[in-house]
Amino acid sequence: MTIRVAIAGCRGKMGSEAVKTVCNRDGLELVAALDYKHLGDSLAELEMFPSSLDVPIYTNLTQLITETKPDVLIDLTNPHSVYEHTKEALLHNVRTVVGTTGFTDNQLDELKNLAKSGKVGCIIAPNFAIGAVLMMKFAKEAAKYLPHVEIIELHHDRKLDAPSGTGKKTAQMIAEVREATKQGHEFEKETMPGARGADFEGMRIHSVRLPGLVAHQEVLFGGEGQMLTIRHDSYNRESFMDGVVYCVEKVMTLEELVYGLENIL
Ligand code: NAP
């Protein structure tokens, strides 16, 4: 069976890579693109894609769904639009694979309920790279023995949300095996706001944003006289594409929302 795929955010760094990937994989068919600007009627009209790519572009998701009947919507847009896209797709019984990060906890809860009540599969994966998923798993394991943790996530300077979805997810996974603990000196004081990073149950998360970076993370575990560092680097967007394809295939078998690739591998 061929899975009919629509992509939101096709002109972006992740979205354009996903267009290439979906078009080149057996068993997947790209049937539509969702944009919010009208820059052409089809991807073929945008200079960045081959002129043979006759895939219609819509600026209205309901119309896209009605006219092209996708099985799966992949969202690779931004934190301002992803929630509305995901909600609307689920309300129309279209499965979703979301790589965009920046959901609030309330939005996640609402989408979870929506997917469950409608029995529609949805995967939200803050990181599609298998190595990053392993980094999170290893970090969770290490935190059982070395509970003093600081997370440093490093991304390109066009990223809108901080901390990254991967940074937050790592902290949440570690919190499953670690008591909330205040770290650092009990009387420590920031003489510049933000110097100690974000505080998640006492764990500190530091966000670095620089040109040249793609997506990187270090998890540092301190113990008496020792430090363990677990690090993952994505050097290009291709590192995410096997995970995107895996999720598109997997979401066809789901009837609820799954948050995090590690829960379905
Ligand atoms: P990007 O290059 O800025 O791409 C986002 C694209 O979405 C842009 O072309 C933007 O258009 C477009 N867009 C914005 N609002 C839209 C809407 N309402 N409908 C359709 N398209 C819309 O960003 P990126 O680096 O590709 O990343 C996209 C998202 O994926 C970010 O949230 C990022 O954090 C996340 N990400 C996830 C993973 C993962 O493994 N899960 C990996 C890398 C990145 P304009 O530029 O014209 O506004």
Side-chain angles (χ1 to χ4, degrees):
M1 175 196 137
T2 299
I3 304 173
R4 297 171 65 78
V5 177
I7 300 179
C10 282
R11 287 180 296 107
K13 294 180 281 298
M14 283 289 282
S16 53
E17 198 63 46
V19 167
K20 256 196 268 167
T21 301
V22 169
C23 291
N24 290 324
R25 287 290 170 122
D26 290 343
L28 305 186
E29 182 188 355
L30 184 63
V31 296
L34 180 70
D35 206 331
Y36 70 110
K37 297 173 182 166
H38 183 83
L39 298 173
D41 291 331
S42 84
L43 292 181
E45 291 176 26
L46 308 187
E47 271 181 16
M48 60 192 300
F49 296 111
S51 54
S52 55
L53 198 58
D54 196 16
V55 172
I57 304 173
Y58 290 81
T59 50
N60 179 300
L61 182 53
T62 304
Q63 191 188 357
L64 179 158
I65 292 170
T66 313
E67 292 184 9
T68 67
K69 300 188 173 27
D71 297 305
V72 179
L73 172 73
I74 302 176
D75 190 290
L76 297 163
T77 60
N78 68 31
H80 307 302
S81 33
V82 62
Y83 167 71
E84 288 301 332
H85 290 165
T86 310
K87 185 172 165 183
E88 196 171 340
L90 292 176
L91 285 169
H92 283 92
N93 291 319
V94 174
R95 295 174 171 88
T96 49
V97 169
V98 178
T100 311
T101 52
F103 287 97
T104 66
D105 290 345
N106 284 347
Q107 288 176 336
L108 276 180
D109 285 344
E110 202 180 315
L111 293 174
K112 261 182 210 161
N113 291 335
L114 201 57
K116 198 168 183 180
S117 61
K119 296 193 171 172
V120 196
C122 175
I123 299 173
I124 299 179
N127 204 316
F128 287 118
I130 179 75
V133 174
L134 293 174
M135 174 217 12
M136 289 188 263
K137 280 193 177 217
F138 297 156
K140 182 176 175 180
E141 185 62 18
K144 290 180 192 165
Y145 308 97
L146 293 167
H148 288 259
V149 188
E150 304 234 351
I151 297 169
I152 306 173
E153 56 91 347
L154 310 91
H155 284 81
H156 58 89
D157 61 349
R158 311 313 299 158
K159 185 166 177 57
L160 290 174
D161 54 320
S164 69
T166 305
K168 270 164 80 175
K169 179 73 187 165
T170 308
Q172 285 160 355
M173 286 174 67
I174 290 173
E176 289 168 20
V177 296
R178 167 195 183 274
E179 294 276 305
T181 314
K182 184 176 177 341
Q183 295 184 183
H185 196 287
E186 61 178 314
F187 299 125
E188 83 178 4
K189 185 168 175 264
E190 284 181 336
T191 54
M192 258 189 220
R196 290 286 289 120
D199 184 341
F200 186 92
E201 299 196 359
M203 263 175 272
R204 296 295 173 159
I205 310 178
H206 310 269
S207 299
V208 178
R209 298 289 177 265
L210 286 172
L213 294 170
V214 178
H216 318 258
Q217 181 167 291
E218 278 186 2
V219 192
L220 280 63
F221 298 86
E224 282 309 313
Q226 59 178 317
M227 185 161 87
L228 170 67
T229 303
I230 300 176
R231 180 174 173 118
H232 176 261
D233 296 276
S234 275
Y235 296 115
N236 58 39
R237 271 98 194 161
E238 281 169 40
S239 66
F240 303 116
M241 292 303 134
D242 281 347
V244 172
V245 172
Y246 179 78
C247 288
V248 168
E249 289 166 351
K250 185 74 187 176
V251 81
M252 294 299 292
T253 67
L254 299 178
E255 296 191 336
E256 60 182 340
L257 185 152
V258 174
Y259 183 74
L261 197 55
E262 66 286 355
N263 294 312
I264 46 169
L265 282 175

